[in-house]
Amino acid sequence: MSIDPDKELFDTASPAPASSPPPVPTGGIDGYEDDSAADEEAREGEIEGGGDGGAGGGGGTLVISQVTDPQQIGEGRNAHTYYRIDVRQGQYAADPIASVRRRYSDFQWLFQRLHAEKPGSIVPIIPHTQAVQISKRLGEELIEERRVYLERFLRRVQVHPELEGAPSLAAFFSQDIDAFEAAKAAHPGNAPTELSDDDSNSGTTIEKAKEKVKHLWVKTSVKAKVVRGVMDLEETVDGKKMEEVENYIESLDTHVKTLSRCTHYLVGASRETSTNMHELGQSLFGLHQLYDPETSVNASADTEPMTKRSGLPSIKAISNVFASLSAVNKVKSDENQTKVGTPMREIEWMIKAARLAIKRRKNCQLEYNTYLQQVRNREASLEKIRTAAELIPGNGHIDKIGDAQKLVEVARQSANRSLAELDVVTQRVFREMDRFKRVVDLELRNLYASLARVEVEHTQQLDGEWNRLLNAGGGGTYKSTTVSPPTSPSKEAEMQMI
């Protein structure tokens, strides 16, 4: 599966033969984002990535065909896997297909950039895989599992209505490897996207650097006050509606955690039952080998077989039935895992993705409040200069007042731009939540309908096996009977019984 490291990783060719991609279900952390490396690492320990992007890079003309042909490069700890991504330049089969190769970390970069470029979007999750031994980390099973998830991620991104036109998508699908590497170098995954408006902090590079440091200091101060509870972030006119969204996600998360725990128990029950029935069958067959009354030397040749006399099945027949029951439960377990267990886990990932979208909106709200605090700080400084000018005329106070007034205006313009960006992100969150609620509702209904179908299908098979056990003794087909509960005796009857 290894390839030459010097081989060109980008080519144009027909897609390699591959099995049909798995069905893609529809759809798809809290508080304030900490910019520290430790917190960022902790967050990525839960899920892979964390950024912003769009689907259809280049005006939505790219159509993802499949992710296939994983190839390893390097050895030992330096080993990594490249995946081939086939994309069409249009909607029709006759169009040429272009192929690019990307490694797992490139998908993480795309995930992070999608969040940074389109904050408030519910970007599909790329599940995190814990670090394991090299031999296992690069094993075929793990590589295939990642391939399926990565293909599903790209397909969901492609049809995502909020991610269309994200710049990171054009870079990700570019066949120019230098252009892609330049995009990654210019925009590290979790770096915020700069506002397109002219930054009012015009001046030299040193002056701009100083302003960024001051802004970061104010932002850290505001964040600390919020965490300590001595300050509340100022909300927009949609603050009440946003609070309802946050409460919905919290309640949904609580209910889905309960659903997940109970549903996974039901899924696991069939697997446990299969294992126990297999062991039962083996032990029963061992008992049959130790002693079989039908072939025992003590059994008379002219004596009616014990099975027929007792009307009970033989130990061997019981062992065979339990072996069949184990096999049926194994199939049932596998189907439940595919049709119920995995979709339930993906619903949990969807909720994590929604939490990330709300967190990005919180970050924008924090940024807006940082500029508001800068306005207050600069207005206070301006007032001090004016007071000093009244007490001690001269000393260049007019120039100082003019410079201070410019800084106040700069902060106000930045606050206005930040508020406009916050409004855009807020409305995006609202649109996303409308879609998110419908998707979660549909996914849950599909999930439990699938559970019911699996239960009905295999219950019939299990009943057939249990009947086979009862019939093995020659007692005829077993029919269940319903016994009516005894009625309470009348007082006269009670007296007669006494």
Side-chain angles (χ1 to χ4, degrees):
M1 187 180 288
S2 60
I3 62 175
D4 185 354
D6 297 326
K7 180 182 178 181
E8 178 60 53
L9 294 177
F10 302 87
D11 53 22
T12 300
S14 300
S19 58
S20 300
V24 180
T26 57
I29 265 191
D30 298 328
Y32 309 96
E33 182 179 38
D34 195 317
D35 296 327
S36 68
D39 287 353
E40 183 65 17
E41 182 178 355
R43 182 175 67 79
E44 291 197 8
E46 182 176 12
I47 61 170
E48 294 287 3
D52 172 344
T61 59
L62 294 178
V63 179
I64 299 164
S65 174
Q66 58 188 356
V67 177
T68 185
D69 191 24
Q71 295 180 344
Q72 292 182 20
I73 296 179
E75 298 179 355
R77 294 191 174 276
N78 295 323
H80 49 270
T81 304
Y82 277 90
Y83 297 85
R84 170 173 167 163
I85 307 167
D86 295 325
V87 292
R88 289 187 176 88
Q89 301 297 328
Q91 294 288 344
Y92 304 102
D95 292 337
I97 294 180
S99 297
V100 297
R101 288 198 177 272
R102 297 288 181 260
R103 57 187 298 184
Y104 192 64
S105 60
D106 295 333
F107 286 85
Q108 293 174 290
W109 174 86
L110 175 62
F111 177 89
Q112 294 165 351
R113 289 310 302 160
L114 291 176
H115 272 292
E117 294 166 1
K118 302 283 187 177
S121 298
I122 301 180
V123 182
I125 290 290
I126 304 177
H128 174 74
T129 302
Q130 298 292 338
V132 291
Q133 297 177 356
I134 294 296
S135 58
K136 189 174 182 180
R137 179 164 62 89
L138 297 178
E140 292 185 4
E141 182 177 350
L142 175 60
I143 290 175
E144 173 60 18
E145 180 182 357
R146 281 186 168 182
R147 185 201 66 76
V148 172
Y149 282 135
L150 295 178
E151 180 174 291
R152 186 175 299 167
F153 165 74
L154 289 182
R155 289 181 181 275
R156 289 177 176 177
V157 166
Q158 181 186 11
V159 299
H160 198 302
E162 296 295 333
L163 300 181
E164 184 174 0
S168 56
L169 277 174
F172 183 83
F173 290 112
S174 173
Q175 291 184 278
D176 186 341
I177 188 171
D178 293 331
F180 178 54
E181 293 299 326
K184 291 195 294 183
H187 300 286
N190 207 36
T193 300
E194 299 292 336
L195 294 175
S196 58
D197 307 54
D198 287 337
D199 192 76
S200 45
N201 299 326
S202 57
T204 64
T205 302
I206 296 178
E207 290 173 341
K208 290 181 179 179
K210 288 182 179 179
E211 284 299 319
K212 287 185 178 181
V213 171
K214 290 179 182 178
H215 179 78
L216 180 60
W217 185 88
V218 175
K219 183 176 182 178
T220 303
S221 176
V222 171
K223 187 187 299 184
K225 290 179 181 179
V226 171
V227 172
R228 293 199 306 268
V230 299
M231 175 182 176
D232 292 327
L233 293 180
E234 187 169 325
E235 259 292 1
T236 64
V237 294
D238 293 313
K240 185 66 175 177
K241 185 177 179 181
M242 194 66 220
E243 184 179 353
E244 294 174 357
V245 168
E246 294 175 1
N247 291 337
Y248 162 76
I249 290 295
E250 288 299 324
S251 297
L252 176 68
D253 189 35
T254 300
H255 289 304
V256 168
K257 283 180 179 177
T258 301
L259 292 177
S260 178
R261 174 174 53 81
C262 297
T263 303
H264 280 104
Y265 173 82
L266 293 176
V267 171
S270 297
R271 184 166 53 252
E272 293 285 339
T273 301
S274 174
T275 300
N276 288 325
M277 286 186 166
H278 177 72
E279 293 179 1
L280 273 171
Q282 284 189 320
S283 292
L284 285 167
F285 188 75
L287 289 174
H288 159 70
Q289 291 180 317
L290 287 177
Y291 172 72
D292 182 5
E294 306 302 333
T295 59
S296 172
V297 294
N298 296 323
S300 301
D302 58 346
T303 302
E304 185 180 12
M306 184 176 293
T307 298
K308 292 184 178 180
R309 291 204 312 271
S310 65
L312 297 174
S314 68
I315 294 296
K316 180 180 180 181
I318 298 174
S319 170
N320 291 336
V321 169
F322 272 106
S324 298
L325 288 169
S326 173
V328 173
N329 275 286
K330 176 63 168 63
V331 174
K332 177 183 176 182
S333 173
D334 292 342
E335 287 192 20
N336 266 332
Q337 182 59 44
T338 301
K339 299 177 181 179
V340 180
T342 298
M344 176 57 74
R345 188 167 63 247
E346 290 180 349
I347 291 174
E348 294 181 275
W349 293 338
M350 289 166 58
I351 295 175
K352 289 182 180 180
R355 284 185 174 278
L356 277 176
I358 293 175
K359 181 178 179 179
R360 291 290 174 171
R361 194 265 177 187
K362 282 283 188 184
N363 294 339
C364 292
Q365 185 185 11
L366 177 62
E367 189 74 10
Y368 168 56
N369 279 261
T370 299
Y371 283 118
L372 289 181
Q373 187 61 46
Q374 281 186 326
V375 172
R376 300 186 192 103
N377 293 345
R378 292 179 179 183
E379 286 178 341
S381 297
L382 175 59
E383 189 60 29
K384 287 181 180 179
I385 295 174
R386 285 173 174 169
T387 301
E390 292 176 358
L391 295 176
I392 307 175
N395 291 333
H397 287 304
I398 295 178
D399 292 339
K400 292 180 180 179
I401 290 174
D403 292 340
Q405 288 176 330
K406 290 180 181 179
L407 290 176
V408 170
E409 184 60 26
V410 163
R412 286 175 179 166
Q413 292 175 2
S414 297
N416 290 336
R417 290 199 302 273
S418 183
L419 176 59
E421 174 69 11
L422 177 58
D423 286 335
V424 169
V425 174
T426 300
Q427 297 308 313
R428 182 179 291 132
V429 170
F430 291 158
R431 292 193 300 271
E432 284 285 69
M433 291 312 302
D434 289 340
R435 185 173 61 91
F436 175 80
K437 291 177 181 179
R438 294 193 300 270
V439 170
V440 170
D441 176 76
L442 180 61
E443 289 295 323
L444 285 172
R445 286 188 283 158
N446 280 333
L447 184 151
Y448 288 107
S450 297
L451 176 62
R453 282 190 288 269
V454 172
E455 289 295 327
V456 168
E457 176 183 350
H458 290 90
T459 296
Q460 294 173 348
Q461 297 181 41
L462 292 171
D463 285 347
E465 293 300 326
W466 286 118
N467 263 314
R468 189 161 68 90
L469 187 151
L470 294 173
N471 298 337
T477 303
Y478 173 76
K479 294 183 180 180
S480 62
T481 58
T482 302
V483 180
S484 302
T487 57
S488 300
S490 64
K491 290 187 177 293
E492 293 182 0
E494 290 180 355
M495 293 301 293
Q496 290 178 358
M497 285 188 288
I498 293 174

